[in-house]
Amino acid sequence: MPEAFFGLANALFWLGDIAGTIANCEKAYVAFRRRGDAMFAAGAALSLVGYNKGYLGNTAAARGWLSRAARIINNDVPELRGELLGATAYVTDDPVQSEALARQAAEIGRASGNSDLELMAMHAVGQALVQQGRTAEGMSLLDEAMAGVIGGEGGDPLTVAQMSCMTMVVCGSCFDLERATPWVQSLQGFIDRYGCPFLYAECRTYYGRVVFENGDWSGAEALLAEAISMSRGVYPAPHAFACGTLAELRLAQGRVEDAVRVLRGVEGREEAAAAVASVHLAQGEPAAAAAALRRRLAATSQDRLDVAAVIELLGEAEIALDGVGAAVERGRALVALGRASGCQLIVAHGERLLGHALAPADTRAACAHLEAALAAFTGAGIPYRAAQTRLLLAQVLAHTEREVAGAEARTALSVFEDLGAGRDADAAAALLRDLGVKAARTGPRNLGRLTKREHEVLVLLGEGLSNPEIAERLFLSRKTVEHHVARILAKLGVRGRAEAAVLASRSGPGISARD
């Protein structure tokens, strides 16, 4: 029966089985067509549009299925015209055309009382506006659509998954981690019930980036490994992007050789250019880093928000090559780009680059820029970038205000130790020794920061409850509890639930929890 194929495709979608999802959806489409069920055949064809473009990046196949859906809907199922407009907006490469199509779809959804269609189309309008450079206007619509779907206006969990995925992609492409982080936190209830909504490799990678920047490195590692596995041999661009992001995490952990291994096979792709350049910088090869980054920037417009990290890295390479003037100009360009787009984190990266570039010649100006960057990173809850900036500030102040420099370096060292950032921790400890401060490394504690839910689970572990008992107490599935327990053990660096329970009973409410 076609319903069985379609149901299996939906189930496999939630399990992340790309091949199985598409194969069963295609079988459902054929069976619906043979049975003469135009409504469901069109629905299957529309699903295949999204799967082929979102999962596989196969725009040709997506457009083919869009044409099949359009033929059926125009001839037999005019009530699906809104969904057809929405799918067309998703496939088109022209953001102006995409905006127009999505607005029509939203109006149809509003008029017909179809909340899922209205919210999806509103979200698509927001994406199109961001692509046009109308960032504030577009992000406002994204926020409104996400509020509606998380608040329960849409009736289909798939709507939450698709919109959450695209929100993560848009926020990631705009460097807007400040917006992505609270939406991730708002989705916790949905995740507890249905599982992770970030089902495509690309959005799971962006989600991993958010988790990485927020300080949960064990969680980020798991997400990025999943994204690499999902995309391997299937979708080259997201695969390279996921590999590059994991390589950046490995570099932050001080595992340079592991980063090199992760990048094997994707070194030439632009999606991994920043990670490749970061490896060159870590190996003391700034000229090679600069060459890779200039090649990446030559391939795209430098006013795009997603190249902000590439621009900062190129500035760092230029500083190493004594091109301070060029680095200063790049820092100023980043600040201007961030202010024009309303993204404070881009401004912060520009300020940090300016502080680093100006440090030898103008200590006062360098410190002002670094303080501005530090305030932004701290306010956004991005501990690793904040600690890196503190260390830069300490290095600038080391010759003039040794006491302040020592305080900043100690704070940076504590964060690096907590995260497991070995190379940075070594650098902070070395600076403290140069300042005459005892600074023995304690080794990576890798505590991370527990989420609110993980803290609740840990407290119940401390009370001696089993996984089934915790599931019953917190109204969660056993599988979800197993997932939380595994994350807790990884974050706290303990060997089993018994050690975690001892830690919970000793620490009590003092264990930090991220809301």
Side-chain angles (χ1 to χ4, degrees):
M1 291 181 63
E3 290 84 359
F5 287 128
F6 202 50
L8 180 57
N10 287 333
L12 292 174
F13 172 81
W14 286 99
L15 293 172
D17 182 345
I18 302 171
T21 297
I22 293 176
N24 282 281
C25 197
E26 289 173 342
K27 291 177 183 178
Y29 168 80
V30 171
F32 282 130
R33 288 288 279 167
R34 287 174 177 169
R35 196 171 71 182
D37 194 330
M39 174 73 77
F40 281 99
L46 289 172
S47 295
L48 285 163
V49 173
Y51 294 147
N52 276 282
K53 182 171 173 60
Y55 264 140
L56 304 181
N58 190 337
T59 303
R63 287 174 176 158
W65 282 110
L66 183 65
S67 295
R68 296 305 296 148
R71 189 176 299 277
I72 298 169
I73 291 168
N74 290 332
N75 290 335
D76 301 311
V77 198
E79 55 266 45
L80 289 183
R81 181 170 173 269
E83 285 79 359
L84 178 61
L85 287 166
T88 307
Y90 179 53
V91 170
T92 184
D93 293 325
D94 182 352
V96 175
Q97 183 184 3
S98 179
E99 177 196 352
L101 292 165
R103 287 191 186 278
Q104 293 179 58
E107 185 55 40
I108 291 173
R110 195 174 299 115
S112 63
N114 186 338
S115 296
D116 288 290
L117 174 59
E118 179 188 359
L119 291 169
M120 283 285 291
M122 180 189 299
H123 197 274
V125 173
Q127 294 175 56
L129 291 173
V130 171
Q131 290 173 340
Q132 294 172 43
R134 299 157 65 183
T135 308
E137 185 182 358
M139 285 299 190
S140 177
L141 279 177
L142 289 181
D143 286 344
E144 182 182 349
M146 284 295 293
V149 75
I150 291 178
E153 287 187 45
D156 188 350
L158 186 59
T159 304
V160 181
Q162 291 175 331
M163 286 176 53
S164 300
C165 222
M166 294 313 301
T167 295
M168 202 55 50
V169 171
V170 173
C171 288
S173 67
C174 292
F175 224 65
D176 197 349
L177 303 180
E178 293 170 285
R179 180 174 262 102
T181 298
W183 281 127
V184 167
Q185 294 168 348
S186 297
L187 283 164
Q188 189 59 52
F190 181 90
I191 291 171
D192 286 343
R193 184 173 182 183
Y194 295 102
C196 178
F198 305 112
L199 298 170
Y200 295 161
E202 185 179 19
C203 64
R204 186 162 292 204
T205 300
Y206 277 121
Y207 179 34
R209 164 66 74 179
V210 171
V211 173
F212 166 35
E213 297 287 359
N214 287 342
D216 179 3
W217 287 9
S218 60
E221 184 170 343
L223 288 163
L224 295 171
E226 290 167 359
I228 290 171
S229 177
M230 290 166 62
S231 58
R232 182 179 288 112
V234 178
Y235 196 170
H239 182 68
F241 177 41
C243 289
T245 307
L246 181 58
E248 290 183 52
L249 173 57
R250 291 284 181 259
L251 289 172
Q253 294 168 327
R255 298 163 58 181
V256 179
E257 292 305 316
D258 287 340
V260 172
R261 280 191 287 272
V262 170
L263 290 169
R264 283 176 185 159
V266 301
E267 300 95 331
R269 294 200 61 97
E270 67 176 46
E271 298 85 1
V276 169
S278 296
V279 167
H280 284 310
L281 286 174
Q283 294 176 327
E285 302 168 347
L293 294 165
R294 291 191 181 109
R295 193 176 303 119
R296 170 70 176 89
L297 289 176
T300 189
S301 169
Q302 293 193 34
D303 61 357
R304 279 178 43 179
L305 304 184
D306 59 351
V307 300
V310 176
I311 294 172
E312 185 187 16
L313 273 174
L314 181 52
E316 294 293 336
E318 288 167 338
I319 291 171
L321 294 168
D322 295 325
V324 172
V328 168
E329 290 306 310
R330 295 194 191 280
R332 288 172 178 161
L334 274 180
V335 170
L337 177 62
R339 286 175 178 165
S341 63
C343 181
Q344 291 307 305
L345 284 182
I346 292 180
V347 174
H349 281 273
E351 294 280 15
R352 186 170 71 176
L353 179 56
L354 281 170
H356 190 189
L358 293 172
D362 190 341
T363 299
R364 180 174 296 180
C367 288
H369 288 297
L370 291 172
E371 289 284 3
L374 178 58
F377 288 131
T378 302
I382 301 180
Y384 181 54
R385 307 303 172 191
Q388 286 181 313
T389 307
R390 282 190 191 278
L391 181 55
L392 272 174
L393 185 59
Q395 291 167 342
V396 173
L397 293 171
H399 299 295
T400 56
E401 299 183 50
R402 295 172 66 85
E403 184 177 335
V404 177
E408 297 291 0
R410 275 195 301 271
T411 302
L413 175 60
S414 178
V415 175
F416 291 143
E417 291 274 19
D418 194 40
L419 291 171
R423 284 166 60 93
D424 294 286
D426 287 339
L431 177 60
L432 284 166
R433 288 193 295 272
D434 288 344
L435 293 169
V437 179
K438 291 183 180 179
R441 288 285 313 280
T442 62
R445 295 192 296 273
N446 201 24
L447 295 177
R449 285 178 58 82
L450 301 181
T451 64
K452 184 177 180 181
R453 179 65 81 189
E454 288 164 353
H455 182 261
E456 293 170 345
V457 171
L458 179 59
V459 169
L460 295 179
L461 279 176
E463 295 177 9
L465 273 64
S466 65
N467 283 2
E469 290 169 333
I470 294 173
E472 183 177 358
R473 178 79 66 88
L474 297 178
F475 300 98
L476 302 174
S477 70
R478 294 186 182 186
K479 185 175 181 180
T480 298
V481 171
E482 290 173 3
H483 172 74
H484 284 314
V485 170
R487 292 278 294 273
I488 289 167
L489 298 182
K491 287 183 180 183
L492 299 183
V494 294
R495 289 172 292 182
R497 53 190 299 125
E499 287 187 22
V502 170
L503 179 60
S505 63
R506 289 177 178 173
S507 303
I511 299 172
S512 63
R514 185 176 71 248
D515 293 330

